[in-house]
């Protein structure tokens, strides 16, 4: 495995999400475990559940969190099932939940077709147990469906042209590698700035394969329900649709007070250190009372 995953907005999360009196923290997106590592390090009385649906992420997190054995429980699961996962452990309330959305460096640099340079299979599943892959989406979705996904999730104005190019190419040969898909997109949509012309299409296909917006809506609602009074939920997002969803869900929950009137963004030193942090936005909310069902 190549470079390690650099946690985004780390100090802001450690200081802004956790209060000293908290006892139970849930990392809904454990990844390589760095956020949890730093949180457990800073708050010696805290215990944590670290959840991820990707087996390779959990292997990395288990190694990273080994010094906290006894204080952390790792679970391979989808955060959309947060209530059930914690309920099975007899946990009905938690003090803080963190969602750090998107992909980790482990996933981007692995061989699962997350990156357009990858010559391996067009997979893009975060959870290897899941049935649907990017190859299936790209080769079986209608032109209309591809256009909608690329336009909506990719926020790509050239979606119609790209979807048409994919459909024309797959009639000749099915698209089976990430690099093949990237080539088709690059031919249909020429490079305009610094970013690769396939970046937005890849993001869109990945979000569809992993049902990222749907999972966020369910997972975030569950986290809010699970919070104990004075508990906090924090979300780091990298996509405007995700950020909008977080903002809307926070605003619509009368039991929450939003602590970040504007999202927290990384400063220039962090962006220079970690380019991936560029588009990150952190929103935090606190539960002020228990909603009555
Ligand atoms: C940006 S990484 C998190 C990095 C982590 N905060 C760290 O410090 O290393 C996002 C992680 O969320 C996981 N993930 C994405 N969607 C998920 C879901 N619905 N349920 C559980 N984990 C998910 C991905 O597999 C990935 O490992």
């Amino acid at each position: 495995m190549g470079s390690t995953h650099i946690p985004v907005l780390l100090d802001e999360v450690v200081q802004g999400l956790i209060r000293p009196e908290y006892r139970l923290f849930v990392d809904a997106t454990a990844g390589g475990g760095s956020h949890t590592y730093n949180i457990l390090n800073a708050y010696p009385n805290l215990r944590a559940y670290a959840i991820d649906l990707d087996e390779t992420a959990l292997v990395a997190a288990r190694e990273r969190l080994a010094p906290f054995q006894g204080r952390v429980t790792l679970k391979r699961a989808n955060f959309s099932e947060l209530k059930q996962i914690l309920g099975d452990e007899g946990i009905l309330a938690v003090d803080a939940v963190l969602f750090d959305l998107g992909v980790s460096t482990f996933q981007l640099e692995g061989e699962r077709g997350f990156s357009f340079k990858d010559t391996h299979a067009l997979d893009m599943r975060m959870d290897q147990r899941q049935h649907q892959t990017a190859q299936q989406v790209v080769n079986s979705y209608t032109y209309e469906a591809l256009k909608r996904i690329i336009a909506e999730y990719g926020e790509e104005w050239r979606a119609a042209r790209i979807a048409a190019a994919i459909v024309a190419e797959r009639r000749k040969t099915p698209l089976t590698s990430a690099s093949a898909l990237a080539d088709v997109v690059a031919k249909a949509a020429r490079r305009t700035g610094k970013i690769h012309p396939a970046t937005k299409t890849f993001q869109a296909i990945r979000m569809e394969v992993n049902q990222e917006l749907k999972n966020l809506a369910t997972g975030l609602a569950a986290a809010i329900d699970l919070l104990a009074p004075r508990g906090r939920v924090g979300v780091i997002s990298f996509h405007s649709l995700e950020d909008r969803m977080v903002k809307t869900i926070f605003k619509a929950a009368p039991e929450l007070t939003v602590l970040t009137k504007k999202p927290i963004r990384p400063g220039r030193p962090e962006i220079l250190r970690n380019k991936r942090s560029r588009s990150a936005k952190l929103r935090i909310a606190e539960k002020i009372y228990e909603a009555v069902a």
Side-chain angles (χ1 to χ4, degrees):
M1 220 168 264
S3 39
T4 50
H5 180 89
I6 306 173
V8 169
L9 292 166
L10 183 59
D11 291 344
E12 291 80 354
V13 168
V14 173
Q15 283 151 31
L17 183 65
I18 311 292
R19 299 166 67 111
E21 69 271 22
Y22 285 178
R23 290 293 172 268
L24 187 59
F25 159 67
V26 176
D27 187 342
T29 52
S34 287
H35 278 106
T36 296
Y37 180 97
N38 285 278
I39 285 172
L40 288 178
N41 208 24
Y43 301 94
N45 294 324
L46 203 61
R47 267 189 46 77
Y49 274 86
I51 294 166
D52 204 295
L53 43 64
D54 186 338
E55 181 59 28
T56 58
L58 280 188
V59 169
R62 189 163 287 121
E63 201 181 309
R64 179 95 165 105
L65 298 171
F68 300 107
Q69 219 183 0
R71 287 176 60 202
V72 61
T73 308
L74 290 119
K75 290 265 168 207
R76 184 179 185 192
N78 193 314
F79 60 57
S80 64
E81 292 153 14
L82 206 55
K83 272 198 174 161
Q84 195 188 322
I85 303 159
L86 296 172
D88 288 349
E89 302 277 313
I91 292 167
L92 302 176
V94 302
D95 294 309
V97 185
L98 173 66
F99 295 85
D100 175 17
L101 303 171
V103 275
S104 70
T105 306
F106 300 116
Q107 290 164 331
L108 273 176
E109 294 184 354
E111 299 178 349
R112 281 189 265 165
F114 281 107
S115 148
F116 41 76
K117 294 176 199 141
D118 193 345
T119 53
H120 296 88
L122 190 50
D123 186 320
M124 294 198 197
R125 286 172 303 171
M126 291 182 185
D127 186 347
Q128 300 300 107
R129 300 166 299 189
Q130 176 188 304
H131 189 62
Q132 174 154 273
T133 65
Q135 188 166 322
Q136 285 161 1
V137 169
V138 165
N139 291 293
S140 73
Y141 275 30
T142 61
Y143 161 77
E144 283 302 331
L146 286 173
K147 186 177 86 172
R148 182 188 58 77
I149 290 162
I150 296 169
E152 200 178 312
Y153 298 163
E155 299 180 312
E156 169 65 88
W157 60 273
R158 299 164 297 188
R161 215 189 301 162
I162 293 169
I166 291 173
V167 171
E169 188 62 31
R170 77 187 189 195
R171 271 198 205 112
K172 292 185 245 159
T173 9
L175 291 158
T176 55
S177 73
S179 55
L181 173 63
D183 288 346
V184 172
V185 178
K187 272 187 216 143
R190 298 204 179 286
R191 186 188 284 265
T192 47
K194 271 191 193 157
I195 70 161
H196 190 286
T199 306
K200 291 179 169 185
T201 301
F202 267 58
Q203 171 184 281
I205 306 282
R206 189 202 82 208
M207 288 176 79
E208 171 65 16
V209 169
N210 297 290
Q211 295 290 301
E212 295 179 29
L213 288 176
K214 195 169 144 215
N215 287 335
L216 176 59
T218 319
L220 190 51
I224 294 169
D225 268 2
L226 280 163
L227 282 185
R230 305 203 76 188
R232 290 182 181 176
V233 56
V235 186
I236 303 172
S237 65
F238 296 84
H239 189 290
S240 60
L241 287 180
E242 285 169 347
D243 182 57
R244 212 173 305 149
M245 181 180 274
V246 176
K247 188 178 166 186
T248 310
I249 293 177
F250 277 4
K251 223 173 168 182
E255 68 271 42
L256 291 184
T257 183
V258 179
L259 301 181
T260 47
K261 296 299 168 215
K262 285 222 162 89
I264 300 172
R265 318 256 344 225
R268 219 177 124 64
E270 175 165 4
I271 296 173
L272 289 175
R273 236 181 14 251
N274 178 15
K275 238 172 56 188
R276 195 185 151 268
S277 70
R278 223 174 9 196
S279 51
K281 287 183 182 166
L282 166 65
R283 292 187 188 269
I284 302 175
E286 182 169 308
K287 194 175 242 188
I288 39 180
Y289 64 86
E290 199 63 70
V292 184

